Amino acid sequence: MTKGALRAGEQLGLANAKIAQVLHLDAQAISAMDAGVEHLRGDTPNGQRAITLIKIHQALATNVGLDAEAAKRWIASHNTALAGTPASLMQTEEGMKAVLAYLQSMEAPQGA
C-alpha cells in the first residue's frame, strides 16, 4: 500500500511535499517510505488516506484512461462542481471523499 500510494501521488503530479500534506505526514516520513524504511498500515488514519488516494488515482484513470498528462491537469485545475482544485481539496478528509465521490459518479453509466 505504501508504494502504491506514493506511485499514485506521483502519477497525479503531486510532489512529495503535497503527498505528505494529503497523507497528513511530514516530508521525512515520505522520504523514509520512498526508501522502504517506513510503511503505512491500513488500520491507521494515514493508511486510510493512502487507500483513498489510490482509489482517486484509479477512478481518475478510469475517466481519462492512461493519459498521465490529462490526469495531472485535472488534479491541478479548478473544478466548478467541486468548487476548487482537487489537489487542494485532497488535503482534508472531506475533500478527499468529495473528489473520490465526484470521480466515481463520472464512472457510472449515464441513463442507467
Side-chain angles (χ1 to χ4, degrees):
M1 171 180 51
T2 302
K3 289 291 184 186
L6 294 177
R7 194 171 324 119
E10 178 183 309
Q11 291 176 357
L12 293 173
L14 304 177
N16 278 353
K18 184 64 88 173
I19 295 170
Q21 290 175 339
V22 167
L23 299 180
H24 289 183
L25 296 168
D26 60 34
Q28 285 181 314
I30 297 297
S31 293
M33 284 184 232
D34 205 21
V37 176
E38 288 189 30
H39 303 281
L40 291 166
R41 293 186 12 214
D43 62 347
T44 65
N46 306 95
Q48 289 299 307
R49 293 179 69 77
I51 290 168
T52 303
L53 177 61
I54 292 167
K55 288 179 180 181
I56 288 170
H57 176 260
Q58 291 170 336
L60 186 56
T62 297
N63 286 296
V64 301
L66 298 175
D67 188 341
E69 291 307 312
K72 290 175 185 178
R73 279 192 306 274
W74 189 86
I75 285 290
S77 297
H78 181 81
N79 182 295
T80 304
L82 292 170
T85 63
S88 295
L89 294 169
M90 288 168 40
Q91 293 180 36
T92 68
E93 188 165 339
E94 298 80 24
M96 286 187 86
K97 288 178 183 178
V99 170
L100 181 58
Y102 177 80
L103 287 168
Q104 289 174 334
S105 74
M106 299 303 290
E107 293 175 19
Q110 301 300 315

